[in-house]
Amino acid sequence: MEDGGRSGSDVHAEMGFLGSHGTTEMALHMLQRCVCLSKCFSKSAMPRFTARRSLLSASYTDPKIWEDKDPDPRNLAELAALMDRTYERKLPVSSLTISRFVDNITSMEEIEQTVYYLYKFRHSPNCWYLRDWTIHSWIRQCLKYGARDKALYTLKNKVQFGIFPDEFTFNLLLDSFLKDKDFGGACSVVEEMMRQEAFDSPSTQILSLYALANYLSTNPELTWQDERNLGASLMIAGLKQQNSTGFSAQVVGHALLGKVEISQGIHAVFRDAPLTWVPGFISRALLVMEQVCDAAPHIKISKEGLDYLEGLLKDLSASHTPEEGGETPETVDEEDQLERMKVPEYSRRFKDLNGRLQALDRIDVRSLQALTSSLAEESLVAAEAQDVQRYQGAMKEWEEERRDLARREEEQREKAQQEWAARAAEKARQPLQKLSRH
């Protein structure tokens, strides 16, 4: 974009990384696996984060830098009337007008009103010009006035509202959910990051992996769509971290995607997610294990992730029956059937690779939750410093751009007034000219 969730209440159903099933034989195996993993998670090492740090520091989330920008106080009623008149005349509202409206929000009621005008702007000729600073301001205002659900709503419906945040803004929203231990809502934010491929910042990667691991540790019930979204988020964020946490996340992520691929078909995997359409996600999980065997000695894979992959392969080997109520008849094709036939081979490869990892002492007994907590403690402070520096630079650029837009707006207003005065003068001269001719 030029300028461009799942909330805690509407989130999901499954757990131990598993989805709901029908009454097939596969369902029994999955249920047994779910109980096993629930016990595993309940015994997992608790994260070492004991202080309610939120996880980001106070200096990162402090709105003072943002609020200290040059003020531009406006009356929201007048701005709303201006936008209404402009839309009635079939003319586009300027990006500066909607930006001023967002910046001057002072209550929850005005948050509700702003949702309407964001929608109107998105469906106007100027839709591509919703400024980055406007999106940032919108998220900050929602957090300030207790409207986090509205921020998540517009984020999840980004096509309708044009909300495509940068990673710093994403982090603020994600951290607010983590602070309240709403891991379901946090994962909704992470899933939107995944869809927008916003995992470039190390801080975003760390926060996302922390949110995902903590959500899975609650043993939620998941649909296959949830498994796909969580799997994709774990895989993509994990690819950015070349450490034990990253490789462990990749194994679990690929395994979740492989489970969906086997049960629903490859088309169900890459739909609505930036994933490859090439089959073989379980094979890729095994490839991660192979990479760790050849990696530096300090790189390991969480035993919890390996246990999940092993249990999944056992379940798939026991039954290839599709999940009842799914889209299997429409989505599973001949290529998917071939992938299902490879499950026995995958099981043999897993047994061999797992033995190699054990022999090399490359299995970490800590849970994925504990690994992500440790990574956050070790690396988040340094990552924050980089983000804050970039944010301060972006603030300067935004202010320069904002001032330039305001200057051009004033020039256009003066030009329009001059043209109006010239037309008025010409109209006033016309009767005099007629009288002089008579």
Side-chain angles (χ1 to χ4, degrees):
M1 186 173 126
E2 176 219 320
D3 335 92
R6 151 176 83 207
S7 67
S9 61
D10 62 357
V11 188
H12 322 5
E14 188 186 274
M15 137 6 205
F17 306 161
L18 301 176
S20 56
H21 300 281
T23 56
T24 61
E25 180 183 358
M26 187 177 188
L28 178 60
H29 288 287
M30 290 299 182
L31 180 59
Q32 293 170 343
R33 184 67 187 148
C34 180
V35 173
C36 177
L37 283 172
S38 297
K39 293 178 181 179
C40 175
F41 274 114
S42 66
K43 296 178 182 178
S44 294
M46 293 301 293
R48 288 184 288 160
F49 265 103
T50 55
R52 193 167 182 262
R53 187 176 177 270
S54 89
L55 301 167
L56 295 175
S57 65
S59 60
Y60 193 104
T61 58
D62 186 2
K64 188 175 187 303
I65 298 177
W66 174 253
E67 294 174 350
D68 283 349
K69 67 183 186 299
D70 292 340
D72 186 13
R74 300 280 171 155
N75 184 292
L76 253 61
E78 293 178 358
L79 287 174
L82 172 62
M83 288 191 286
D84 290 339
R85 289 195 305 269
T86 304
Y87 286 130
E88 287 171 3
R89 296 167 60 191
K90 308 297 183 183
L91 296 174
V93 166
S94 73
S95 63
L96 200 54
T97 301
I98 188 67
S99 176
R100 287 167 174 157
F101 196 92
V102 173
D103 284 345
N104 284 276
I105 292 172
T106 60
S107 67
M108 181 62 180
E109 291 72 20
E110 291 169 355
I111 290 281
E112 297 279 359
Q113 192 178 12
T114 306
V115 171
Y116 168 76
Y117 285 110
L118 285 171
Y119 178 87
K120 291 286 289 184
F121 189 87
R122 180 62 174 174
H123 293 79
S124 73
N126 273 356
C127 61
W128 299 110
Y129 300 101
L130 186 65
R131 306 291 170 173
D132 291 341
W133 71 72
T134 306
I135 296 171
H136 180 76
S137 180
W138 166 244
I139 299 299
R140 278 198 180 276
Q141 296 284 49
C142 287
L143 295 178
K144 181 177 181 179
Y145 293 104
R148 190 171 61 191
D149 59 327
K150 294 299 179 184
L152 186 56
Y153 172 74
T154 55
L155 180 63
K156 294 174 72 173
N157 294 278
K158 52 191 173 294
V159 175
Q160 300 299 323
F161 296 98
I163 303 302
F164 296 86
D166 57 29
E167 290 185 58
F168 189 93
T169 309
F170 262 128
N171 285 353
L172 293 177
L173 181 58
L174 175 56
D175 184 70
S176 72
F177 283 102
L178 294 176
K179 183 176 183 179
D180 293 339
K181 300 189 183 301
D182 182 355
F183 299 120
C187 281
S188 290
V189 178
V190 175
E191 288 174 13
E192 290 306 317
M193 292 180 181
M194 176 269 293
R195 292 189 177 95
Q196 297 185 31
E197 301 182 66
F199 285 127
D200 292 332
S201 171
S203 62
T204 303
Q205 300 157 19
I206 294 169
L207 289 174
S208 298
L209 290 172
Y210 180 87
L212 293 164
N214 276 273
Y215 179 64
L216 289 172
S217 74
T218 64
N219 301 329
E221 295 181 0
L222 305 175
T223 65
W224 69 261
Q225 292 92 339
D226 299 331
E227 291 174 332
R228 177 197 60 200
N229 295 336
L230 290 169
S233 300
L234 281 165
M235 183 200 74
I236 297 174
L239 283 169
K240 303 286 187 176
Q241 289 286 322
Q242 295 299 302
N243 48 43
S244 297
T245 304
F247 283 105
S248 299
Q250 289 179 56
V251 168
V252 177
H254 280 116
L256 283 166
L257 293 171
K259 178 172 178 284
V260 175
E261 178 185 0
I262 295 296
S263 64
Q264 302 294 329
I266 188 63
H267 292 278
V269 175
F270 65 77
R271 185 182 302 144
D272 196 32
L275 299 171
T276 179
W277 55 85
V278 179
F281 278 95
I282 291 181
S283 178
R284 294 184 189 103
L286 299 174
L287 181 59
V288 174
M289 295 174 64
E290 189 174 336
Q291 290 172 343
V292 172
C293 287
D294 299 331
H298 68 279
I299 302 295
K300 300 183 179 183
I301 297 178
S302 170
K303 183 177 184 299
E304 183 182 78
L306 294 174
D307 287 347
Y308 172 68
L309 179 56
E310 181 180 25
L312 173 61
L313 288 170
K314 288 180 180 178
D315 294 334
L316 294 176
S317 298
S319 174
H320 291 170
T321 305
E323 297 180 21
E324 291 185 0
E327 302 175 46
T328 306
E330 299 178 5
T331 59
V332 175
D333 55 23
E334 183 177 350
E335 195 172 45
D336 297 320
Q337 296 290 352
L338 292 175
E339 184 65 22
R340 290 180 174 188
M341 294 172 64
K342 295 179 182 178
V343 170
E345 175 193 343
Y346 291 155
S347 297
R348 289 190 294 270
R349 284 178 58 192
F350 173 85
K351 185 176 180 179
D352 176 62
L353 288 168
N354 196 42
R356 288 177 59 189
L357 288 170
Q358 290 177 346
L360 293 168
D361 190 26
R362 300 294 175 80
I363 298 178
D364 198 318
V365 297
R366 291 176 295 176
S367 66
L368 184 60
Q369 182 188 22
L371 284 173
T372 57
S373 296
S374 178
L375 178 63
E377 281 189 313
E378 295 168 0
S379 306
L380 192 55
V381 172
E384 281 187 14
Q386 299 174 12
D387 286 358
V388 171
Q389 185 176 8
R390 283 193 295 266
Y391 176 60
Q392 291 172 340
M395 281 281 296
K396 292 178 181 178
E397 293 177 3
W398 292 347
E399 283 304 295
E400 290 174 2
E401 189 175 359
R402 191 199 308 267
R403 283 192 290 267
D404 182 59
L405 285 173
R407 179 184 56 78
R408 290 188 303 183
E409 180 188 62
E410 185 60 29
E411 290 174 352
Q412 291 174 355
R413 182 182 292 110
E414 291 176 358
K415 182 180 179 181
Q417 289 175 346
Q418 291 170 2
E419 292 175 351
W420 180 85
R423 287 195 299 269
E426 178 64 26
K427 289 181 180 179
R429 283 196 297 270
Q430 288 176 358
L432 295 175
Q433 290 173 351
K434 290 180 180 180
L435 288 173
S436 64
R437 284 197 294 268
H438 288 298

